[in-house]
Structures are given as structure tokens and as C-alpha cells.
Amino acid sequence: PMHAEDLELQHLCLVEVVRALDLVCQLDGSQVPEVVLVVQRLATGHLFSRVALATAVLEFFLHHGAAVLHKTDDLLGQFFLGPGSRACLNTSSALQVVHFTVRNLAAMCDAGATEKYFPSLLKIFAWNPQQFKRQFLDIVPAFMSAKSVVEVFHSLVDLPALTAALILERETLGASDGARLKRQSSSMQQAEVLKSMLKFVLRDVSGIGDTFDSVAKFHALIADLANHPKVMRCSEHTPDLLGCYLKTFEQHGDSELASRLLPAVMERLSVCFGSRGYCERLRRVLADALPQLFSKFPDMTFLLTPELVEFLSHTSSYDVGPDFFANLVWAVGEFASPNESTLCSPKAVGAYFEVLECLAFELLSAQGLLSERRTRLLCIVITSLSKLAVRSQDLVARALLCLSKTGQLCTTTTVQGPMAVLERRVLELTAIIKRSGAASAILSPPKEEELKRRHEDLAQLPALVRLVTAVMSTQE
């Protein structure tokens, strides 16, 4: 071709030819063996020339490759490690890749491409989040598998960091040799460390590792990019993708996967990078998802007992994510129960009780008035303590002592707002625990089926009436 426009026109014509051949083969399957040979020659000569042509060729093989025992794995690998990896920096190419992925999502899942090459695809979102958020809300669930679920989580949390890495890569490629040499000579060792980290963050293939040990250090090295417009834009839209991920996990995960995911979630509460407010939004999304995860997978309460006890034993964990911490305290009280999991053991219940008991006394020993937020936390802590106590009679006396100490705090301060709620909760829990016959049924209720049977059993009514009377009398 004499002009660039002519070359572009040729490629567009080839794209239409491949799509026409694809349609012909869909209408008449007998044409596939002959047409495949033609498309294979196109793939050999043009797979890396234009993204539009490459996606058309790949789409053809995804539709018809199985009919002639042609595996598309190699072609998909060549694409996502080549032009697909660089497509993020060109809006037109990115659009082609995203539309190709959405149209062929099921076939790519079957081929394992979405799981294997999701880091390459996430570059497109990191660079163009606003344009492609709607499509990626459909694509993200396809990234997830038993093997990749934790890696996908880390990658989603680090999307703003990926944007910063792409900015650095683009600046490095665009800088002159002199400027690049000057930048490297300023801190050669730091530049080498950053280079190795960038290599992982900018990877195109999954399975190398869920994350890397120095991710916090990497965030520190790129801290000056946190307010870059592209990083800020990515930070704004990333929580929506993370919410989609968590909903998908809740629907399709299991307790074993949840026990692998939750430690990563707790780790990333304090390790995140993004614009101002991103970390708060991230923690809010994770905190909101926690009760649903425990409700769906209560076994992880006992699969992760040491990790959860360790997390709850540090008040610094509360300082990092107050809502997440409070929800975890609630979840422990709610789901560390033989009614919720067959893995429940007295040892685990005792371990949870001890850590919450220490937390309660630590809150009670704080000098001065408790803040409104910490008063709410104390209310949740004593409720969970009471629930755990009724599951092990050896703990009842200690729970009553803790409630007594909390009640003393209420009498020494002005009782209003959250403190009034705390005082009322202390009175209610004390009355319930002292009624040992009904305490377990209230604080550690059975499953819904068993609960329905008890409600229908009229023999339960006298005991319930006496208990309600006792609780109400404490509030007079």
C-alpha cells in the first residue's frame, strides 16, 4: 500500500472477511475444515499486526476450533502476552479486546483464558476504568477459580497501584536515554527494587503468586502518584469491582476457599494504595461483606481460629478498620456455635471468649470517657461474650463479672446515647444469662427448622413468658 490509509483499509477488510467466514461456518458446519486452513494462514501472518484482526481470528477459532481439534490455547497466549497486553494504552484497541472478551466469555472460561490472563485484562480497566466498568462487572466473575480467587482479590485491591505502575512504565518508555540514566543514577538500588516490583505488578499471566511480600514498600515508592488523575479515577471505580467479586464469591465459594480469602482480607485492611478516601471505601466494602461471608461459610470460624484470635487480640486491628473489627466480633459471637458448624469445639469457644474478655477489660480500663464508636464496640463485645458463655457453662461466671464491670462503668458516667444502649444491654444480658434454662435458646438459637418446631410446641410457652417477664422487670 502506498498510503497508511490503504493499509488500514486492508486490515479492516480482512476483519470483515474473517467475520463473514465465521458466519458461513456457523450456518454450514461442513465448511469448517476448509475455512480453518485459510484462517490459520491469516493467524500466522497477522495475529500481531492489528488487535481488531487478531480478535476476529481468535473468535473464529473459539467458535470452530473444537470441530477440527484445533486448540486455541497457544493463540490466546500469544495474543494476551503480545498485543493484548499493550492494548490498554490505546482506547480503540482496549475496546476491541473488551468486546471480544464479553462476546466470548463462556468459551474463554472453558479454555481457562480468563483465569490465566486476567492480569493482562485488568490493565485495561486500570487505565480506562470509567469507560469499561460496566463490562468488567460482567468479566470479573470469570477471573475467579479455586486456584486464582486469592490472587484476583489482591489484584483488584491493587488496581490503583497497577495504574501507577502503568504510568511509570509509560514514562520510562517515553523518557530520553539521558533522563532515564539520570533517574536511575539518583538511587540505583531503589530503582532496581522498584523494577523487580513493577515486573510482578505488570505481569500478564496469573499463577506466579497471590501478591509479594514488599507490597507495602512498593506503595511507599509510588506514593507520589497517589494523586495522579488516572490513579484517582481508578480509585473511584475499583470498589465497585471488588463488591462484584465478593458477591460472586458469596454465591459460588465454599468454606475452604473462604478460609484462604479471609486472611488476605485482614491483611489488606492496612495495606492499600490509592487516592484519598480509597482505603476507607475499601474497608467499608470489606466490612459490609464480612457478615454475609460468615453467614454463608460458618465453618471458617473454626478453620481460622488462631488467625482470628490473633487479629482480635490487637487493638491496632480496630484502629485500622473499626467497622470490620466490630463485624468480626459480632460474627464470632454469632457463628462460634455448635448450631452453626460441626467443627465447633470447646477449645475454640474458650479461645474466642478469652480474647474478647481481654478486649472488653481493655476497653473498660481506658482512661476517660469511651468514644461513641468504642462504646458501640463494647456493646458488641459483651453481647458476643454472653453468647459464647452460654455455650460453655464454665464461662458463665466470667461473663457475669464482665457484665458487672460494664454496668459499673455505666453508673459512673452520664447515661445517654450509646451509653444508654450499653446500660440496657448489660441489664438484658445479665437477666438472660441468669435464666440458664432459656439463655441458650435466646443467645445461641438453633437452626431455623428447629426454631420453628419450638415455636409450635406449646410446652415452651410458660418458660418463654417467665423469661420475658424477667427481662422486662430489669428495665423498670
Side-chain angles (χ1 to χ4, degrees), residues 53-69:
L53 180 56
T55 53
V57 170
L58 287 172
E59 191 163 11
F60 177 89
F61 282 113
L62 285 172
H63 289 167
H64 309 291
V68 291
L69 302 179

Side-chain angles (χ1 to χ4, degrees), residues 84 107 127 135 178 189 198 223-224 255 425:
W127 198 253
Q135 291 89 342
Q189 184 178 2
L198 284 173
D224 58 330
S255 295
R425 181 62 56 86

Side-chain angles (χ1 to χ4, degrees), residues 374-437:
R374 288 193 174 239
T375 302
R376 289 197 181 101
L377 175 62
L378 181 57
C379 190
I380 298 171
V381 170
I382 62 170
T383 303
S384 291
L385 270 176
S386 301
K387 291 177 180 179
L388 293 171
V390 300
R391 295 163 197 161
S392 178
Q393 290 302 309
D394 296 340
L395 304 174
V396 169
R398 291 164 63 180
L400 287 172
L401 175 62
C402 187
L403 289 171
S404 174
K405 294 288 186 182
T406 308
Q408 292 174 15
L409 172 68
C410 296
T411 59
T412 59
T413 58
T414 304
V415 180
Q416 59 183 6
M419 191 61 71
V421 175
L422 179 63
E423 182 185 41
R424 187 165 62 252
R425 181 62 56 86
V426 168
L427 294 173
E428 292 171 351
L429 291 172
T430 302
I432 291 172
I433 291 178
K434 287 181 177 179
R435 296 276 176 169
S436 58

Side-chain angles (χ1 to χ4, degrees), residues 70-261:
H70 183 281
K71 292 187 177 181
T72 58
D73 299 6
D74 292 340
L75 290 178
L76 287 168
Q78 293 174 39
F79 175 73
F80 281 110
L81 296 177
S85 176
R86 301 185 296 271
C88 61
L89 300 177
N90 182 288
T91 305
S92 176
S93 297
L95 183 65
Q96 293 287 346
V97 174
V98 170
H99 283 183
F100 161 74
T101 303
V102 171
R103 286 196 307 269
N104 301 279
L105 198 56
M108 290 179 66
C109 283
D110 292 340
T114 49
E115 174 193 343
K116 186 174 182 179
Y117 301 111
F118 79 81
S120 180
L121 285 167
L122 280 179
K123 291 180 184 180
I124 295 176
F125 179 85
W127 198 253
N128 309 278
Q130 194 168 1
Q131 294 92 322
F132 298 118
K133 183 172 74 172
R134 182 175 59 83
Q135 291 89 342
F136 269 86
L137 288 174
D138 295 326
I139 295 173
V140 163
F143 296 161
M144 301 167 64
S145 70
K147 183 180 178 181
S148 68
V149 66
V150 177
E151 184 179 357
V152 172
F153 171 76
H154 282 291
S155 298
L156 291 176
V157 171
D158 275 332
L159 275 172
L162 175 58
T163 305
L166 289 169
I167 294 170
L168 286 175
E169 182 186 45
R170 195 178 190 188
E171 289 179 351
T172 302
L173 293 175
S176 63
D177 293 340
R180 197 179 302 121
L181 183 62
K182 182 179 179 181
R183 184 183 302 158
Q184 291 178 354
S185 62
S186 62
S187 178
M188 188 67 70
Q189 184 178 2
Q190 182 171 305
E192 286 300 318
V193 172
L194 181 60
K195 184 178 179 181
S196 64
M197 294 176 179
L198 284 173
K199 185 176 180 180
F200 178 85
V201 175
L202 294 171
R203 70 196 185 282
D204 295 313
V205 182
S206 66
I208 300 174
D210 295 335
T211 184
F212 56 99
D213 294 335
S214 304
V215 63
K217 184 176 181 180
F218 174 68
H219 292 168
L221 291 173
I222 60 173
D224 58 330
L225 291 172
N227 294 320
H228 190 283
K230 278 195 169 293
V231 174
M232 294 176 68
R233 198 172 298 118
C234 184
S235 300
E236 180 183 349
H237 296 285
T238 293
D240 295 326
L241 255 61
L242 194 60
C244 172
Y245 166 92
L246 292 168
K247 287 180 181 177
T248 304
F249 185 91
E250 182 186 338
Q251 292 173 4
H252 303 286
D254 57 39
S255 295
E256 191 275 330
L257 289 178
S259 66
R260 286 168 46 200
L261 176 64

Side-chain angles (χ1 to χ4, degrees), residues 343-374:
L343 301 178
C344 181
S345 67
K347 182 179 179 181
V349 171
Y352 281 127
F353 184 91
E354 287 183 7
V355 72
L356 293 185
E357 184 182 40
C358 291
L359 177 60
F361 283 119
E362 186 173 347
L363 291 170
L364 290 170
S365 64
Q367 294 182 352
L369 292 174
L370 285 174
S371 66
E372 183 174 318
R373 186 182 286 270
R374 288 193 174 239

